[in-house]
Amino acid sequence: MDARVTGFPFNVLENPMYVGSTLSFIGTSLYHAKPAGLVVSAYVWLVYSIALRFEGPFTTMIYSKRAQTPTPAKKSSASSSSKKKL
């Protein structure tokens, strides 16, 4: 992938999988009326928040380096279709 994804859902939330996962934990704990589930949900949110402090800058660095590096020419589809079929 040459560029960061900016379409939905990334145009609404920066990390939709983490948000969705946390909301899933919260929803399940509310559905089953388990207060311990809310505690686990808070713990999951805390762990995700810590992980994002490292993952966010790392992801930004990857895409900024990729933007600075010239991409090699891609092979044409004609060369791949000219291979002999066995």
Side-chain angles (χ1 to χ4, degrees):
M1 203 178 271
D2 294 330
R4 192 174 234 174
V5 177
T6 57
F8 185 80
F10 294 95
N11 62 348
V12 178
L13 300 167
E14 190 170 338
N15 301 293
M17 290 181 63
Y18 293 134
V19 173
S21 175
T22 304
L23 290 175
S24 178
F25 277 99
I26 292 170
T28 302
S29 65
L30 292 175
Y31 179 78
H32 293 288
K34 301 289 185 180
L38 292 175
V39 173
V40 171
S41 300
Y43 179 72
V44 166
W45 174 79
L46 176 67
V47 170
Y48 285 163
S49 297
I50 292 169
L52 285 171
R53 292 187 185 258
F54 297 98
E55 183 180 326
F58 182 71
T59 304
T60 302
M61 178 198 65
I62 290 171
Y63 284 113
S64 65
K65 283 184 177 181
R66 184 157 303 171
Q68 294 171 356
T69 306
T71 57
K74 294 182 179 180
K75 293 182 182 180
S76 67
S77 60
S79 65
S80 62
S81 63
S82 65
K83 293 180 182 177
K84 290 184 178 180
K85 294 182 181 179
L86 299 175

